[in-house]
Amino acid sequence: MNINDLLVPRHPLPRLHEQQVQALQQLPETERAEQAQLLRVGNAAYRYHQLADSHLTEVDFHHWLAGLPPRMRQAMTAAGFAAANSSWAFRRHVLERRDLGYTAFMQQQLSAEDWAFLQQQDAESA
């Protein structure tokens, strides 16, 4: 099987996609499928959070802050809006406020096997 076929969805940044291909090529064949699955899930999550780029606003930032526990709110307020823009928690908040839910997006992007794997990982970490 072509290694590129193992990376669907692929990373949207060509440089990082090539790094993933090279990393898989260096692994023994018996380890490639498992590592490729982790990369696919990560690639889909990266694509989801990338959708927030054009939607991040200070109004969203203040809405997000209001829902944080006090100590975290204090730290994120001090860090500021610009720092929060790279926070996956903030980015997810922004997208979900716009009805772009993480769960539905991931299920759409991933194969049935990868989706089941992600659900199992989530259940085990809960």
Side-chain angles (χ1 to χ4, degrees), residues 1 3 6 20-36:
M1 173 180 270
I3 289 188
L6 291 174
Q20 290 178 352
V21 168
Q22 290 173 4
L24 289 177
Q25 287 172 333
Q26 293 174 3
L27 288 175
E29 254 187 80
T30 56
E31 297 176 25
R32 285 182 187 161
E34 183 178 348
Q35 183 62 35

Side-chain angles (χ1 to χ4, degrees), residues 44 101-112 114-116 118-119:
Y102 178 78
T103 301
F105 181 88
M106 293 297 285
Q107 188 172 13
Q108 179 189 20
Q109 294 294 306
L110 297 172
S111 68
D114 289 347
W115 174 245
L118 181 58
Q119 288 182 304

Side-chain angles (χ1 to χ4, degrees), residues 8-70:
V8 177
R10 64 185 283 154
H11 199 285
L13 301 177
R15 176 182 56 83
L16 294 179
H17 172 72
E18 287 306 315
Q19 287 177 0
Q20 290 178 352
V21 168
Q22 290 173 4
L24 289 177
Q25 287 172 333
Q26 293 174 3
L27 288 175
E29 254 187 80
T30 56
E31 297 176 25
R32 285 182 187 161
E34 183 178 348
Q35 183 62 35
Q37 185 173 53
L38 294 171
L39 291 171
R40 289 189 302 269
V41 170
N43 291 346
Y46 184 91
R47 286 175 174 273
Y48 173 76
H49 290 284
Q50 196 177 36
L51 294 173
D53 285 346
S54 63
H55 299 288
L56 302 169
T57 69
E58 293 221 23
V59 170
D60 290 316
F61 177 63
H62 292 291
H63 186 267
W64 178 63
L65 288 174
L68 295 178

